[in-house]
Amino acid sequence: ERVLPTAAAKEPVGPGIASILEEYRIGWFCPSSSMHKYQRTDSAWANEYITGPEEHAIDFESASAVMHPAFLRCNLALDEMTCIGPEPNRKDLAPPEKFGDDWSEGLRSGDLEQIEAYFRRVEHLREFLGFLRFRVGGVEHTIDVAPDRFDRGITFEAPRGSLMTCIEYRIFDDLLIGNYMKTTLHGAWEERGADALYPDFTPFVSKYGDNGGAFTEPELEAYFAHYQGTGLLGPGPSLSSMKAYESIRRYL
């Protein structure tokens, strides 16, 4: 069964934004990194679920926070903000081959070993995941993560070009948000719904691992101790650090 994204419900995001701003005492907000348009033919399906810049303000109400429009030029010295108002990108869709992806290309010698080494360093995966399966060029390759937990697994179907680029440069999150890799969840995932890969997979692989270099429990403890030591998890923390902290706190 297909797991639809939360955005499929088309519910206004304004109330949720207002709630977050007030909870973390943030005074003003500008939509950012939320105006993507997918330009590959194999990711264009996701354009149905994007939230346009103007949609962020729908039903937004707050006594303490202000929402500004997207695409601003800010002059902090003069305390001035000017709307840029760029024209929407209207480029035609492009085939995946334009970006170096051939869905019929299979793994090469040494690729599977590189993929396996990449995921095995993330200790937390063994706590909840039995296997990872990669379908590349129509051929399946399975990695046993924790054989005694084979009631739960993930199949990723992706073109070799993007897959191995993301493995090599430690940017697996780019595949997860690109919306052309096909992800199949096997086993006991039902209770997680659209957020199935949170908090046990995506943060540990791409945020704490790829971005933070923390793969083991001692490394994770040191990683979050650093956030606490710098005050980022004190009053008025950044949203990204607090979300990361909350998910790791449940784990530890």
Side-chain angles (χ1 to χ4, degrees):
E1 295 181 7
R2 188 174 183 182
V3 179
L4 293 177
T6 304
K10 299 296 182 181
E11 295 179 353
V13 298
I17 294 173
S19 175
I20 293 173
L21 298 179
E22 292 171 355
E23 181 177 356
Y24 295 110
R25 300 196 294 274
I26 298 172
W28 63 277
F29 171 84
C30 172
S32 172
S33 190
S34 301
M35 51 282 299
H36 309 87
K37 281 191 175 180
Y38 297 94
Q39 65 183 54
R40 294 170 54 127
T41 53
D42 50 5
S43 64
W45 66 270
N47 285 325
E48 180 181 350
Y49 305 106
I50 60 176
T51 301
E54 68 288 344
E55 296 179 59
H56 290 72
I58 297 177
D59 292 346
F60 175 88
E61 295 182 8
S62 174
S64 59
V66 176
M67 177 179 293
H68 293 281
F71 306 113
L72 290 178
R73 179 177 290 112
C74 301
N75 187 324
L76 300 182
L78 300 177
D79 195 22
E80 292 180 348
M81 282 183 274
T82 306
C83 289
I84 300 173
E87 288 293 320
N89 189 338
R90 304 186 187 280
K91 289 184 178 180
D92 295 333
L93 296 178
E97 288 78 8
K98 179 179 179 180
F99 307 99
D101 278 334
D102 178 357
W103 280 89
S104 66
E105 181 184 7
L107 292 181
R108 301 174 186 173
S109 176
D111 284 352
L112 185 59
E113 290 77 10
Q114 190 174 348
I115 295 171
E116 185 169 353
Y118 173 85
F119 285 101
R120 286 208 180 280
R121 60 188 180 165
V122 184
E123 283 188 353
H124 181 65
L125 295 184
R126 296 193 286 273
E127 298 297 321
F128 83 104
L129 192 65
F131 66 92
L132 285 169
R133 180 178 296 133
F134 290 86
R135 185 180 296 122
V136 185
V139 179
E140 292 187 348
H141 310 267
T142 301
I143 298 173
D144 291 348
V145 177
D148 58 335
R149 298 181 183 273
F150 251 60
D151 60 335
R152 183 183 288 149
I154 309 173
T155 293
F156 291 118
E157 182 175 359
R160 180 193 175 276
S162 283
L163 173 61
M164 296 312 300
T165 296
C166 290
I167 294 294
E168 179 180 358
Y169 291 101
R170 302 199 323 182
I171 51 173
F172 197 75
D173 202 31
D174 284 14
L175 266 181
L176 293 171
I177 66 176
N179 285 313
Y180 53 89
M181 178 168 68
K182 301 174 184 177
T183 303
T184 303
L185 307 176
H186 307 276
W189 297 89
E190 293 83 356
E191 72 281 1
R192 301 188 177 210
D195 293 327
L197 297 183
Y198 282 85
D200 289 305
F201 184 86
T202 301
F204 283 89
V205 172
S206 63
K207 306 302 184 186
Y208 316 143
D210 284 349
N211 295 344
F215 304 100
T216 67
E217 185 169 331
E219 290 171 345
L220 288 167
E221 290 176 343
Y223 175 79
F224 283 93
H226 172 74
Y227 272 94
Q228 291 174 308
T230 56
L232 287 175
L233 297 179
S238 69
L239 291 178
S240 59
S241 65
M242 183 52 101
K243 287 171 66 178
Y245 174 69
E246 287 300 326
S247 62
I248 192 68
R249 188 176 67 174
R250 289 195 297 271
Y251 162 64
L252 295 176

